[in-house]
Amino acid sequence: SIPAGQKVAMLGRVGSGKSTLLRLMSGLYAPLAGSIRLDGVDMQQIEPAEVRNRMGYVGQDPQLFMGTLRENLILSDSWINDTRIAETLKALGIYDIVANHPLGLDMPITEAGGGLSGGQRQRVALARALVNRPSVLLLDEPLGALDLKLREQMQLELKELQREVGITFIFVTHDQEEALTLSDRIAVFNHGRIEQLGTPREI
């Protein structure tokens, strides 16, 4: 049970069940037993489009789509306007990249990221997950592919971002320092079970 607005780390070695649980939360997997509830409502009873709106998801690989930056951010949610996109990009510190590009939001994104650095691509992926203001943001080792210096910088930026937007963050990591730095509570996973749950100090 996770109170609204908390930052919870799921910590454990590869294969301990962290990402499987995160994908269950996101609706990518359906539980074989039990239920996952958001604000008391069984996720299986919510339409897939509504789940996508309420649960933002960012994986380790940003997986940007070929097209324009705008298309990457709005996906099928055409109601999201340029003002909302600009607000989200500013919160993530990448608005200047768009503002200084001659094509603006219509700048092309190729499969390789369209000339964006690794950190910028990850910020675009975060913007895509946050632009519709979800209740919960699920992060599956989103900083794992970055070098140490950039990963440390992004850790601080994620912490500040969560403070600003105030939504619940649930993230997977096998990095103890990352879990201790970013979270209010840590769930330690081992062979599909939570062995320990507590604050960073308790852990």
Side-chain angles (χ1 to χ4, degrees):
S1 179
I2 299 173
Q6 267 204 345
K7 302 183 295 294
V8 177
M10 298 196 294
L11 175 66
R13 65 183 63 190
V14 173
S16 60
K18 310 179 303 295
S19 293
T20 299
L21 180 55
L22 203 75
R23 288 170 187 150
L24 283 161
M25 291 178 180
S26 72
L28 292 174
Y29 294 170
L32 299 177
S35 64
I36 295 174
R37 296 177 179 272
L38 178 62
D39 295 332
V41 180
D42 189 335
M43 295 286 286
Q44 293 295 297
Q45 306 304 316
I46 303 175
E47 291 293 326
E50 181 64 16
V51 172
R52 191 170 61 247
N53 284 334
R54 298 178 69 179
M55 305 285 274
Y57 179 85
V58 180
Q60 185 173 130
D61 184 346
Q63 294 185 329
L64 303 183
F65 307 120
M66 293 183 69
T68 68
L69 179 59
R70 180 188 279 105
E71 288 168 344
N72 267 270
L73 292 174
I74 65 174
L75 296 180
S76 60
D77 298 313
S78 57
W79 61 269
I80 296 173
N81 58 35
D82 286 358
T83 300
R84 171 66 65 83
I85 292 174
E87 289 172 354
T88 307
L89 294 176
K90 285 176 182 176
L92 287 161
I94 52 174
Y95 179 75
D96 287 350
I97 297 169
V98 178
N100 293 330
H101 193 283
L103 295 177
L105 288 171
D106 290 320
M107 63 185 292
I109 300 293
T110 65
E111 193 171 3
L116 299 174
S117 69
Q120 289 165 350
R121 292 179 64 207
Q122 196 61 277
R123 286 180 175 92
V124 171
L126 282 165
R128 184 169 61 198
L130 288 168
V131 72
N132 59 2
R133 302 296 189 268
S135 302
V136 180
L137 182 62
L138 306 172
L139 302 159
D140 192 355
E141 300 204 49
L143 311 182
L146 305 179
D147 63 53
L148 178 61
K149 185 175 181 180
L150 184 54
R151 188 162 68 244
E152 291 174 345
Q153 177 186 337
M154 285 293 291
Q155 285 176 7
L156 296 175
E157 291 181 5
L158 274 176
K159 196 167 186 176
E160 178 64 18
L161 175 67
Q162 195 276 342
R163 189 189 66 79
E164 288 181 8
V165 299
I167 66 175
T168 306
F169 272 30
I170 304 171
F171 66 97
V172 162
T173 183
H174 61 264
D175 186 318
Q176 294 182 37
E177 183 180 353
E178 187 169 280
L180 293 167
T181 300
L182 289 177
S183 63
D184 299 314
R185 284 197 299 165
I186 299 172
V188 180
F189 278 67
N190 185 36
H191 296 295
R193 295 182 178 275
I194 295 176
E195 298 280 4
Q196 189 178 5
L197 177 65
T199 66
R201 183 175 294 277
E202 289 168 345
I203 298 297

